Amino acid sequence: MAEQVRPAEHPIGMDGEHPGLCRLCVGYCPIMVTVEGGRAVKVTGDPAAPLFDGYTCPKGRALPEFHNGPERLLHCLRRTPDGKFERIASDAAVAEIAERVARIVAEHGPEAVALYSGTGATSSTIPSMVAGAWLRALGSPMFFTVSTIDKPGMAIGQARHGLWEAGHPPFEQAEAWVLIGSNPVISKTGGFPQNNPGMRLKEAVRRGLKLIVIDPRRNEVARKAHIHLQCLPGHDPEILTAMIHVILAEGLFDAEFLRVNADGFAALKEATAPFSPAVVAARAGLAEADLIAAARVFAGARTTGIFCGTGPNFATHGNLTEYLCNCLTTLCGHWAKAGDPLQKPNVLLPAWTGRAQPSPPWPEAAGVPLRVRGLRGNASGLPAAALADEILLPGKGQIKALFCLGGNPMMAFPDQQRTFEAMQALDLLVVLDPEMTATSELAHYVLPPPLMLETPGTSLLMESIKYLAHSRGIDQPYARYAPALVAPPEGSDLMGDWEFFYDLAKAMDLPLTVTVGYGNGSLKEAPPHRVPLDMAHRPTTDELTAMLLATSRIPLDEVKRYPHGHVFPVNEVVQERDPDCTARLDIGNAVMMEELAELAAAAAPVQDDEFPLLLVPKRVNHLVNSYGRQNPALNRKQPSNPLSLNPADAERMGLATGDTIHVRSPFGQIGALVEIDPDIRPGVASMTHCYGLNPDQPTDPARDGGNVGRLISVEDHPDPVTGIPRMGALPVVLLKRNR
Ligand SMILES: Nc1nc2c(c(=O)[nH]1)N[C@H]1C(S)=C(S)[C@@H](COP(=O)(O)OP(=O)(O)OC[C@H]3O[C@@H](n4cnc5c(=O)[nH]c(N)nc54)[C@H](O)[C@@H]3O)O[C@H]1N2
Ligand SMILES: Nc1nc2c(c(=O)[nH]1)N[C@H]1C(S)=C(S)[C@@H](COP(=O)(O)OP(=O)(O)OC[C@H]3O[C@@H](n4cnc5c(=O)[nH]c(N)nc54)[C@H](O)[C@@H]3O)O[C@H]1N2
Ligand code: SF4
Ligand SMILES: [Mo]
């Protein structure tokens, strides 16, 4: 049921121009929303808001179409025996689902019920927390998160290396910055300022920041780079190892920092010895001098940042690549020092001050065991790449019911056909989604929620993301609250994302306690905050937000006083090392050193004659993964996902922009349109993900695009810990096709 309660300070649906908060991606841009006749009709940037300079992107400006567009679902749906959908009242849907879950639990046990929380759940931190509380109350550990098919190596790299409590120094102070397959101008991520990254980059380059970009595409950030290593994809661990090799050979490391803070120097030195810049330059298709220059620029800078994006995490060896980023920073002693401003000061999080000291490595694979590929819950979560198989594999532990919260597995998962079979094999698939997506189409129930201009929100995620990805998040002590600005469309009967799990728990007689954690691995900033919910009276989102934020450094009420957001005077400075601290970072982790030895013996992916191109992922500015494909304001210009190709490759293959081709990998085949792109390296092709249709529908490459997941096998180089298969640097061949 939609939340209709209005916060005292803002009358919902009042005409005029009101400050709001876009939460479509982690940018969390402040916006101005024009409301007319009770509906949002226009969204622009908010020039009165601090830090963002009035920035918005096309997605944020399309929020009115997301809210009022014809594709939005306004009623809950139930699948009928003939495969069609019919309306069902939201409370009736909850009652039916509760009954079906109870039956499944009685027959198969609670672990037959799983939850998948996707990117659509990140417009607020609350839905996943309440959904998690419900799953715990039910007794199921099967909480799959999208982070495991995103950058799972990041968490593993941190667990193996340990954390530097105070993180990196702030971006504004950095002298050099390395982006490895990460394009924050488009994606707003990457340990990079999330507040208008394009502008921040421009300013930084003007003040002399030396940006090093490692990417097979001359992407938006590479155009501003001091050094662009336009490598072949999949060679990132070797490139970073060569940089380490140079730093060691030339004595550019910080011996004193290492003596006090880190173990493993000798092991790292031995493991990196084979990777001379000459060897790696040949493998990665780079000039040796550029590799050496990158190492010198990095080591010569006083303060740096170094971050990986999805590209390297998809190209196999993601854990190693992420681990080596940590090692490089530690080798050079580039972490924040006592007296530096603290990089991610808590505002809505509890007060905490980082010290200039290590927090030790932690066990990376301590979670619930799965039944496939030897996988289990790990530092990055429960592997979503195993979800389809866990549904399909009969026997004890088989998943029978799946709740999909703001995710679209049919578009996003590797091996679309297997995912398709899995979704259909479920006894119960409940999809919480505002649209009829490829996954919704296979659901037994589709529950559309109120959208973000209809629900209050805070900037909490901009801070708490550091618990997943240390050193990411917002650099400034900034916080923001935004009230609901409009009511859901008249006549709609929606089901709120967190309210659903509350109502479901109530219908199943399960008490809920939401647990908010404040830490990452071995670093705990504050004890967990447990909030038991009153199961007799459902709180409003505002009330729940206040309860969950009861531990904030700056009280929520104070934050609410600034309708455009505020940079609070939290002048946290990194503290001296605790004299009792004995923790040490590890730059010689045995598993990682072994992986380096294997890499030394055999190069990472190379093209062969049968599949001569390497296909890499990229993101587009007008979508967040699949979200936006149905939005007329966003898909008008480009409804599909063309394959970009270097002009030299295109000429050799006799292809031109607009041609229709088959893209074939060793595993599958899809259709695509060609787009000639001089910014992509020869030998490499690039496509964005989350396009195409379900496998049972005829797909027109020009109208629907192609689903890259069909080219990817979950059994192709699955990482032994995270289960992520090869999703990038994918060998492909292009075949001409007559439409
Ligand atoms: N506009 C927009 N923003 C988004 C999203 C979106 O879909 N659209 N999605 C959101 C999500 S879920 C995420 S996870 C983040 C991701 O954010 P990013 O990780 O920044 O993702 P991309 O923008 O795709 O940039 C990946 C880069 O990796 C490069 N690359 C590919 N393969 C390799 C390789 O093997 N090695 C190297 N060195 N580079 C490689 C690609 O050329 C590309 O430039 O973005 C988030 N923000
Ligand atoms: N080949 C290939 N595969 C990839 C990637 C790639 O680059 N290449 N990227 C990977 C990455 S990094 C990610 S994160 C995943 C993405 O995987 P998913 O997160 O599963 O996919 P999305 O398309 O982001 O799904 C988000 C869904 O949330 C819905 N939604 C939007 N707002 C709300 C809301 O407020 N509430 C609810 N309940 N739903 C909402 C949208 O309609 C959409 O259906 O894909 C991964 N798969
Ligand atoms: S970058 Fe675009 S989608 Fe992301 S928060 Fe800002 S306006 Fe919204
Ligand atoms: Mo992602």
Side-chain angles (χ1 to χ4, degrees), residues 417-432:
Q417 179 64 35
R418 193 178 299 208
T419 309
F420 186 59
E421 285 157 22
M423 295 299 132
Q424 290 172 299
L426 287 163
D427 288 351
L428 177 63
L429 174 59
V430 178
V431 174
L432 293 92

Side-chain angles (χ1 to χ4, degrees), residues 179-203:
L179 290 173
I180 309 158
S182 168
N183 193 14
V185 167
I186 299 298
S187 67
K188 279 71 187 179
T189 64
F192 208 79
Q194 289 162 220
N195 50 310
N196 195 346
M199 180 72 87
R200 300 289 85 80
L201 178 55
K202 213 185 273 174
E203 288 167 359

Side-chain angles (χ1 to χ4, degrees), residues 625-642:
N625 306 322
S626 70
Y627 198 37
R629 271 184 68 196
Q630 306 198 39
N631 185 315
L634 294 173
N635 68 13
R636 208 172 289 131
K637 260 194 269 166
Q638 178 58 275
S640 76
N641 56 340

Side-chain angles (χ1 to χ4, degrees), residues 51 194-195 343-345 462-463 472-476 478:
L51 300 177
Q194 289 162 220
N195 50 310
Q343 184 201 21
K344 312 283 176 197
M462 299 179 90
E463 295 182 43
R472 299 191 184 209
I474 180 106
D475 263 0
Q476 290 83 0
Y478 161 87

Side-chain angles (χ1 to χ4, degrees), residues 215-283:
D215 202 300
R217 294 189 309 129
R218 190 170 171 274
N219 61 7
E220 283 72 4
V221 288
R223 284 173 210 147
K224 293 264 182 301
H226 178 68
I227 299 175
H228 177 199
L229 300 177
Q230 194 166 10
C231 53
L232 284 166
H235 293 284
D236 303 291
E238 293 137 292
I239 293 169
L240 297 177
T241 307
M243 286 172 67
I244 292 174
H245 184 107
V246 173
I247 288 167
L248 294 177
E250 299 187 0
L252 305 177
F253 53 92
D254 185 337
E256 179 55 17
F257 182 87
L258 293 173
R259 187 187 64 77
V260 180
N261 295 298
D263 294 325
F265 181 80
L268 183 69
K269 188 165 182 188
E270 193 190 327
T272 53
F275 296 89
S276 69
V279 165
V280 172
R283 282 190 186 189

